[in-house]
Amino acid sequence: MKNNDAATKKLLIYFHGNAGNIGSRLPNIQLIVKKCNTNVLILAYRGYGDSEGTPSEEGLKLDADATLEYAQSRDDIDNDRIFVFGRSLGGAVAI
């Protein structure tokens, strides 16, 4: 979800738990966008939900690295204002 105030250039990368799917996180994301005035990037881990691949620790690390590299490559995001948040399994992925 994208915050309407593009001038903030903040980004929170949301690493979710293994239960449910991205859609079940939308109420949380909506609250984060509203209360923290930030953009949110959430990803589907390989092998979870309808994503291709097989779940593994190595896959989670690769997904996290690719997500951070993508965020850092964007001109509309301030690299000094990228934050990570993890819930349940996502806590380990964020670390």
Side-chain angles (χ1 to χ4, degrees):
M1 294 185 91
K2 187 168 182 176
N3 166 349
N4 289 329
D5 184 4
T8 61
K9 297 187 179 183
K10 294 184 291 186
L11 177 69
L12 182 130
I13 301 174
Y14 188 120
F15 294 103
H16 60 85
N18 65 333
N21 59 39
I22 291 175
S24 63
R25 310 296 193 256
L26 290 178
N28 296 118
I29 294 170
Q30 188 175 30
L31 194 61
I32 292 168
V33 168
K34 184 176 181 179
K35 297 287 185 182
C36 298
N37 193 31
T38 186
N39 296 303
V40 176
L41 172 61
I42 188 169
L43 66 144
Y45 308 124
R46 69 186 70 212
Y48 287 87
D50 291 333
S51 296
E52 295 180 6
T54 303
S56 68
E57 182 178 348
E58 182 62 25
L60 291 170
K61 289 178 187 177
L62 291 170
D63 293 341
D65 287 344
T67 302
L68 183 58
E69 287 176 19
Y70 168 75
Q72 291 174 327
S73 74
R74 294 191 49 122
D75 292 335
D76 58 342
I77 301 294
D78 182 345
N79 285 341
D80 292 330
R81 299 180 82 189
I82 297 174
F83 305 91
V84 296
F85 170 81
R87 176 170 280 163
S88 188
L89 172 71
V93 179
I95 291 169

